[in-house]
Amino acid sequence: MAEELLVGLEIHQQLAIPTKLFCACPPVKSEEFPGKFERRLRPAQSETGHLDPAALFEYSKGKSDLYLWNPESSCLVEADEEPPHPLSAEGLEAALLVAATLKSNCIDEVHVMRKIVIDGSNTGGFQRTAVVGLGGSFDADGERVGVQSITLEEDAARNLGEDGGSRRFALDRLGVALVEIALEPVRGDSAHVGAVALQLGRVLRSTGKAARGLGTIRQDMNVSLGGGRVVEVKGVQKLNLIPKVVEYERRRQSMLRAVAAKLRAKGVRKVACRSMDVTATMARTASPVIKGLVAQGGAVRCISARGLAGLLGWEPEPGVRLGKELAEVARAGSLGGVIHSDEFEKQGVTGPEADALRNAMGCSVEDGLVLVAGRPDSVERVIPVLVSRLEAATEGVPEETRAPTDAGETRYMRPRPGSQRMYPETDIPDIPVPGPLRARVAKAVPEDWESTVRTLESRYSLSSDMALKVYDSDLAAEFVRACGKLRLEPSFVASTLVDLPARLTREGVPEAWCSLPALMAALEAVDGGKAAKEAVPEILRSAGEMGVSVGELLASTGREVLDEAHVAAVVEAVVSRESALIAERGDAAFSPLMGEVMKELRGKADGSLVARMLHQKVSEAAKNAGRSG
Amino acid sequence: MGDLPGYKGRALRFLQAAKASIGDMLEVRTKWGVVTGTLVPRYLYGDGDHVVLKLKSGYNVGLGLDGLDGAAVKAKGEKPSFSPPPPPKSPERLPRVALLGTGGTIASRIDYRTGAVKPAMSESELHSLVPELSGAAKVEAEVMFDILSENVAPRHWGKMAKRVVRAVDEGVDGVVITHGTDTLGYTAAALSFALAGVPVPVVLVGAQRSPDRPSSDAPLNLVAAVSVAGTAKFSGVYVAMHLGESDDKIAFHRGTRVRKNHTSRRDAFVSVGVPLAAVWGRGGLEYVSEGLPPRGGSFSPRPAFAPGAALLKFYPSMPPGAVRSARRLGARIIVVEGTGLGHVSGDVAKELGLFVKSGGVACMTSQCIGGRVDLNVYETGRDLLQAGVVPLDDMLAETALAKAMWVLGTGAKGDRAREMMVHDVAGETTARTFPG
């Protein structure tokens, strides 16, 4: 019987307000960064003098952080060089509106907290965050989904990747207002979880306070299998990844539980581990990977793990192995991976070498061996993490924080943060939520999103499918505005705004070429008689290829719609030029000739008009030539 | 208030009725459901209408009394105790550095329950905050007092100076004083005079971000201060703070030429009119200015200060009575921050003349911060000279004030005091001003 999967979603939605949460900077994305500075974050102690495991892990990597900034998008507050300004009143009101819309109970006095995060993504080493609502619910996929809490918080700096020993971040996104909605765990399959996330997104958009664009909404997922430990998957940006991530985690957690069950069956209660330096033993190894690392001055350490032989490379479910987990831990610690005894042969570690290692380690063939090679300090740091990961094999799923990959798998990031990482933001006084503000928020709660979709359907005669697509695309406001301004069929406007970009990107057109301003300009051109409906895709492609705006393109190439006389002239010219073809094939010459004519007219004439004229002319010519279809 | 700090009014009565104490696990019944969490103290200025709970997630929330139906203690709380790991043993041959705590941001840690900032200066606490210290020196830490630097007074300067003298007598290789940044510049100047000729480095160090944050500037400032105090070849009084926004270099400023020029940046401190004394990078000292006094030599400290000096900033329409007020409040030396080259209005100049006639010492500095005063260029300046006002060249106004309190501490008055104010003791005035 399949074990029950529980998924607690945490949705982070950027809020559409004019400033960041704790300063007056606008929430805009910068492309250039004239300023930079470098910092090193240290773990902060808890009240008992102990350190958060996640914080310690990040610090142990010994990395410094390089922050890039632009005055158009950040100030001294983001640089942690100035105390935060008071919490944005608009941000608070927007978060309260989200809370009210989700029927959450509004907190009477908001306390801003510091959540310790030292992966470098916050210059202060913490994220400012405050609970504004507790409880609540919404309906999705035929079920009532519970809300645990709603928090108002600042977004993290934008990760620009790593450069040697230093992580690079852009400060433009740091401090942007986010609302986090933590849902009660939902039971069910991966599709159900995806449906819940989609539905919540619709509810959020109905408030009008959700910011738009890629990266403005991110999901964290707390996934646990069969009541086991919780694994946090951070930062799923696209909704369609959710079902894949859930499915991958199901397989991965099943594998870990299966490994634990096998160990139990073998009578291994504790995976005792030993580690030692085997650089000398492996000096003349045949393994190309290890040979290369040792040649660069690297160290090799070997960990023996009791009873794990055969279980490191075991794949009870497709694509998941304990060995892969270990490699991820090594990679999170800046190493290339690990080589374990189940794949020694594949990796070029010979039988005699394995025997020598077993001898040196004093372990049996029942035990697993894990080789780690690389820079000595990196190897040193990773060993304890690998050992604790191996020791946890008897317990099944370890608590940890993981990141999604583009393919919808997950990879190890760091241990799960402890509960000791939250303390008050002493720079921000507590904020009472006054009665008049509550009343204003209660009044602003939007009609439910389904009524909005029904309105789109009835007022603009859209199919229910198209109305929903318009709503989900988050372009309902633009659609309504365009329909009010332009004398075009609403269904044409809707399909241009919603379907066309999807179709073109499927055909390999870059997303940027189908931007909203480009689409609107194309619609206006059609409305103004400057382009034919059929020409819109071609206009977007040409403008993109030439790197100009749609307006510039139309101005420079004179893509005005030709009147009938012009069209007739072009058609006649083609027909007379191709008289031989018509004589030979009669009416059947229509198709190739249509292509010819459209090539000459593309974008300047309505396709149906051309077809009608051409049909007529081809028939006439065929008759004259004494042939008829 | 007993064990419910910060609570008052209705909130206090509500909690007393529930027999709740700080740290207890409470179940509070609200109109919309039960909220469970740990009772945390309320800030001093919080109102009496809310109860604050820390939820299991770590978040604090304030619940309004109007929406509450009652509360029950679910479990009595345990007070957390702070038990950092023991400090590592320093190798014996490291230099000895006395670390004197006086308070301020640098020597604090947060109480996670209350959010309050507490002093953290025991040796083990320091080492647990900054493990690198054990590799830099054998640190002998002592908390002298725990005050915010705006409350530091001349008597504290006297105590610090005397404590440094004792540490030098005990044979330390250097002294580090942790201090709040607001008046760090004043204290550095005061100690420069009291400890003129000190044979070891005396480094004052502060922080603009408290050590409870992962991004604090305190650890690096402290490591640089301790390492330079223990090993530098020069002596004298310095201020060590970040050179820029990055955690890479620490600037050492001369004690009499340093000023806090920004309210919040890490690199708030600047050397005015002189180059930096030294720059420290992670590998050690990267730059040392010429002309710093070498270690060693004789030393005759005069570690006494007396109040009785005032700093008056001239402003348009300043009433001349301001000078009389200062005198009535006991000022025997008045340092004036004049405009431009060192000017005040005619009325105020006249009043300064009367102050000098009555036996007081009036000195002139400039609110321009950069450059030197010159009372010979304009008529107002000449009037001030005529009235007996002493121009202090390019001495910083804050340094001049500290010097005045030190001069008074030596018992000097009248002409002797005037002479001492002008005579350079610790690099407080320079002979040449450079471009750039």
Side-chain angles (χ1 to χ4, degrees):
Chain A
M1 192 187 90
E3 286 182 291
E4 185 171 51
L5 193 72
L6 281 180
V7 178
L9 283 171
E10 283 173 20
I11 312 285
H12 302 82
Q13 170 69 60
Q14 281 186 3
L15 292 171
I17 58 168
T19 66
K20 292 189 178 179
L21 197 51
F22 290 104
C23 70
C25 289
V28 295
K29 190 173 178 216
S30 291
E31 301 297 338
E32 287 172 348
F33 300 97
K36 65 177 179 191
F37 57 89
E38 190 204 324
R39 294 271 168 75
R40 284 191 73 160
L41 296 173
R42 290 163 177 266
Q45 289 173 310
S46 78
E47 62 202 280
T48 57
H50 291 98
L51 297 168
D52 182 81
L56 203 59
F57 178 75
E58 291 296 340
Y59 185 61
S60 75
K61 291 185 192 168
K63 297 221 161 106
S64 62
D65 301 302
L66 189 68
Y67 296 102
L68 307 177
W69 67 278
N70 185 322
E72 72 183 3
S73 56
S74 57
C75 65
L76 285 188
V77 173
E78 288 92 325
D80 190 44
E81 288 279 33
E82 184 172 296
H85 300 189
L87 179 86
S88 151
E90 280 161 304
L92 179 59
E93 188 161 343
L96 290 172
L97 178 60
V98 168
T101 306
L102 288 164
K103 304 181 202 74
S104 186
N105 303 294
C106 166
I107 293 302
D108 305 309
E109 190 182 63
V110 173
H111 290 240
V112 179
M113 309 295 288
R114 295 175 178 171
K115 189 193 274 184
I116 297 291
V117 184
I118 68 160
D119 61 4
S121 62
N122 292 73
T123 47
F126 52 78
Q127 176 193 33
R128 296 187 183 93
T129 170
V131 168
V132 298
L134 289 174
S137 68
F138 63 100
D139 296 329
D141 205 16
E143 277 178 31
R144 177 141 297 183
V145 180
V147 172
Q148 283 178 341
S149 63
I150 295 179
T151 51
L152 175 60
E153 55 192 37
E154 52 180 10
D155 206 343
R158 203 150 52 83
N159 192 339
L160 300 178
E162 256 183 66
D163 191 3
S166 144
R167 299 174 290 211
R168 294 163 76 247
F169 293 95
L171 292 191
D172 50 359
R173 205 183 68 185
L174 181 62
V176 171
L178 285 182
V179 67
E180 181 202 280
I181 296 116
L183 300 184
E184 298 284 356
V186 293
R187 293 152 201 282
D189 54 35
S190 50
H192 176 60
V193 178
V196 168
L198 177 66
Q199 197 73 342
L200 180 58
R202 288 169 174 162
V203 176
L204 286 177
R205 274 199 301 285
S206 74
T207 64
K209 296 295 178 187
R212 300 190 305 192
L214 185 69
T216 57
I217 186 162
R218 294 196 299 280
Q219 285 88 10
D220 290 353
M221 301 161 59
N222 296 316
V223 187
S224 65
L225 190 61
R229 293 207 184 87
V230 176
V231 171
E232 180 184 32
V233 183
K234 274 197 101 63
V236 184
Q237 290 212 7
K238 290 195 170 168
L239 271 184
N240 58 16
L241 268 191
I242 289 180
K244 289 183 194 161
V245 165
V246 171
E247 170 52 22
Y248 181 79
E249 271 302 307
R250 189 199 59 72
R251 292 205 310 271
R252 195 184 71 85
Q253 297 187 22
S254 302
M255 176 272 290
L256 290 168
R257 290 162 68 98
V259 167
K262 285 245 178 192
L263 284 170
R264 269 198 306 277
K266 280 189 184 183
V268 179
R269 294 172 128 204
K270 186 173 181 295
V271 177
C273 292
R274 284 187 56 212
S275 91
M276 63 184 281
D277 190 290
V278 294
T279 317
T281 319
M282 299 301 290
R284 277 192 216 92
T285 180
S287 159
V289 178
I290 293 181
K291 208 191 262 171
L293 289 167
V294 171
Q296 290 163 32
V300 192
R301 282 188 81 101
C302 181
I303 309 173
S304 67
R306 213 180 127 219
L308 275 182
L311 292 179
L312 292 165
W314 185 44
E315 214 174 280
E317 300 252 2
V320 288
R321 299 173 304 280
L322 188 56
K324 187 174 168 189
E325 305 266 303
L326 299 174
E328 287 167 4
V329 170
R331 276 181 216 120
S334 315
L335 291 173
V338 300
I339 295 178
H340 59 75
S341 42
D342 290 353
E343 57 172 23
F344 270 179
E345 209 171 313
K346 200 169 93 195
Q347 294 291 340
V349 179
T350 62
E353 273 172 353
D355 291 343
L357 285 172
R358 285 215 164 79
N359 259 336
M361 304 289 302
C363 61
S364 79
V365 286
E366 289 291 300
D367 302 334
L369 294 179
V370 178
L371 288 171
V372 195
R375 278 183 46 168
D377 54 337
S378 303
V379 170
E380 210 56 45
R381 276 198 303 269
V382 156
I383 292 288
V385 193
L386 283 173
V387 165
S388 72
R389 200 68 178 64
L390 285 161
E391 285 172 349
T394 50
E395 297 160 25
V397 183
E399 279 195 348
E400 61 194 18
T401 301
R402 303 181 65 84
T405 66
D406 290 341
E409 298 191 351
T410 69
R411 65 179 161 71
Y412 176 85
M413 269 173 92
R414 53 175 178 255
R416 253 199 127 194
S419 54
Q420 301 266 12
R421 63 163 179 165
M422 196 85 89
Y423 60 95
E425 168 55 278
T426 46
D427 295 338
I428 303 281
D430 313 333
I431 306 152
V433 181
L437 173 57
R438 278 163 193 275
R440 196 161 69 231
V441 166
K443 249 194 199 158
V445 170
E447 61 171 0
D448 74 85
W449 67 271
E450 279 157 320
S451 328
T452 310
V453 173
R454 277 196 297 274
T455 309
L456 286 175
E457 237 178 283
S458 58
R459 189 170 304 161
Y460 299 99
S461 316
L462 295 181
S463 68
S464 59
D465 183 44
M466 183 51 95
L468 190 57
K469 271 202 230 169
V470 169
Y471 186 81
D472 281 344
S473 69
D474 211 2
L475 293 172
E478 277 73 13
F479 167 76
V480 168
R481 210 172 309 134
C483 289
K485 204 167 81 176
L486 312 173
R487 293 147 303 167
L488 297 170
E489 277 285 300
S491 62
F492 171 66
V493 174
S495 69
T496 303
L497 290 178
V498 178
D499 284 343
L500 184 61
R503 200 188 87 207
L504 290 180
T505 42
R506 254 199 323 273
E507 290 168 9
V509 171
E511 271 178 54
W513 295 6
C514 312
S515 68
L516 185 61
L519 294 168
M520 292 302 279
L523 284 173
E524 277 165 23
V526 174
D527 182 54
K530 290 188 186 133
K533 282 180 184 177
E534 290 75 8
V536 171
E538 186 54 29
I539 287 173
L540 292 173
R541 272 181 207 273
S542 307
E545 272 161 18
M546 290 161 70
V548 297
S549 75
V550 168
E552 284 163 346
L553 176 86
L554 292 171
S556 68
T557 60
R559 258 170 205 266
E560 75 289 3
V561 170
L562 298 178
D563 57 28
E564 286 195 28
H566 278 95
V567 175
V570 174
V571 168
E572 263 167 41
V574 170
V575 166
S576 70
R577 194 170 72 218
E578 301 288 346
S579 56
L581 183 77
I582 299 173
E584 185 193 326
R585 296 171 65 178
D587 282 350
F590 171 79
S591 289
L593 291 189
M594 181 71 189
E596 288 278 304
V597 176
M598 283 311 279
K599 208 189 277 175
E600 286 186 31
L601 285 174
R602 214 161 189 180
K604 296 187 191 178
D606 189 279
S608 53
L609 173 71
V610 176
R612 208 177 61 232
M613 283 188 173
L614 184 65
H615 243 300
Q616 195 187 336
K617 293 284 169 197
V618 170
S619 295
E620 282 170 16
K623 268 186 203 139
N624 292 345
R627 292 263 330 231
S628 180
Chain B
M1 290 201 284
D3 45 6
L4 292 169
Y7 286 101
K8 56 196 172 201
R10 287 202 297 158
L12 180 63
R13 289 193 296 278
F14 175 85
L15 291 171
Q16 282 169 340
K19 296 194 166 50
S21 315
I22 297 301
D24 287 354
M25 181 67 77
L26 283 195
E27 266 184 3
V28 177
R29 294 188 300 283
T30 73
K31 298 238 180 297
W32 41 266
V34 173
V35 181
T36 307
T38 307
L39 184 67
V40 295
R42 193 144 171 77
Y43 291 127
L44 197 54
Y45 299 110
D47 62 30
D49 300 327
H50 294 86
V51 167
V52 186
L53 292 187
K54 179 179 278 297
L55 306 178
K56 194 171 160 249
S57 58
Y59 281 97
N60 291 6
V61 293
L63 302 171
L65 264 291
D66 289 337
L68 301 189
D69 290 336
V73 175
K74 222 179 133 195
K76 293 306 274 183
E78 265 177 60
K79 288 210 163 174
S81 62
F82 185 80
S83 56
K89 284 260 172 288
S90 297
E92 275 309 313
R93 56 193 165 74
L94 283 177
R96 275 176 69 197
V97 172
L99 184 69
L100 309 177
T102 70
T105 300
I106 184 162
S108 58
R109 66 177 182 82
I110 195 145
D111 181 323
Y112 277 57
R113 279 192 318 146
T114 64
V117 175
K118 289 181 163 180
M121 274 299 293
S122 78
E123 207 179 325
S124 64
E125 280 177 322
L126 268 177
H127 279 288
S128 63
L129 279 174
V130 194
E132 298 98 307
L133 279 183
S134 55
K138 235 170 93 40
V139 176
E140 299 162 17
E142 175 186 323
V143 178
M144 289 190 64
F145 19 83
D146 179 35
I147 49 177
L148 295 173
S149 76
E150 50 272 36
N151 295 324
V152 169
R155 66 194 155 87
H156 298 110
W157 296 341
K159 282 184 187 163
M160 286 184 227
K162 284 174 193 137
R163 183 63 190 86
V164 172
V165 171
R166 207 174 86 215
V168 171
D169 289 345
E170 288 164 359
V172 300
D173 295 292
V175 179
V176 171
I177 300 174
T178 62
H179 195 289
T181 54
D182 276 13
T183 64
L184 184 56
Y186 292 81
T187 300
L191 294 184
S192 302
F193 299 116
L195 300 171
V198 65
V200 301
V202 176
V203 183
L204 288 107
V205 62
Q208 291 281 76
R209 294 287 167 285
S210 57
D212 59 274
R213 335 175 155 224
S215 62
S216 172
D217 52 334
L220 199 64
N221 290 349
L222 207 49
V223 168
V226 166
S227 118
V228 169
T231 58
K233 294 196 169 72
F234 54 82
S235 62
V237 177
Y238 303 93
V239 167
M241 291 290 285
H242 267 52
L243 178 63
E245 292 171 299
S246 293
D247 285 332
D248 54 357
K249 294 187 193 322
I250 304 301
F252 283 73
H253 307 272
R254 290 168 171 87
T256 51
R257 303 290 323 175
V258 61
R259 201 170 187 285
K260 186 177 186 180
N261 266 12
H262 197 278
T263 57
S264 59
R265 286 174 66 130
R266 286 164 173 75
D267 56 357
F269 284 81
V270 294
S271 286
V272 180
V274 293
L276 292 172
V279 175
W280 179 91
R282 288 184 181 279
L285 278 172
E286 292 180 351
Y287 160 83
V288 178
S289 168
E290 280 176 21
L292 300 184
R295 271 182 184 272
S298 65
F299 176 42
S300 43
R302 285 192 282 185
F305 293 87
L311 176 57
L312 286 188
K313 179 169 187 148
F314 173 76
Y315 55 91
S317 87
M318 180 184 203
V323 176
R324 287 198 295 276
S325 297
R327 188 179 157 203
R328 261 203 306 280
L329 290 171
R332 285 171 286 157
I333 301 179
I334 293 178
V335 176
V336 180
E337 248 189 52
T339 53
L341 289 165
H343 301 141
V344 294
S345 66
D347 294 350
V348 172
K350 232 178 258 164
E351 204 60 48
L352 286 171
L354 291 175
F355 175 67
V356 172
K357 265 203 189 117
S358 72
V361 178
C363 304
M364 184 58 70
T365 63
S366 173
Q367 50 191 255
C368 292
I369 299 173
R372 37 190 94 236
V373 296
D374 192 329
L375 300 186
N376 293 310
V377 180
Y378 292 99
E379 206 174 303
T380 313
R382 292 183 195 172
D383 290 347
L384 284 165
L385 280 178
Q386 199 60 38
V389 173
V390 184
L392 291 184
D393 208 357
D394 66 343
M395 200 185 305
L396 293 171
E398 298 86 356
T399 297
L401 179 77
K403 187 174 186 185
M405 290 176 172
W406 171 72
V407 166
L408 292 170
T410 65
K413 50 187 151 193
D415 285 346
R416 171 77 186 132
R418 194 169 293 128
E419 233 167 68
M420 284 181 77
M421 282 306 292
V422 177
H423 175 72
D424 186 75
V425 175
E428 65 271 28
T429 51
T430 70
R432 301 167 70 203
T433 318
F434 299 98

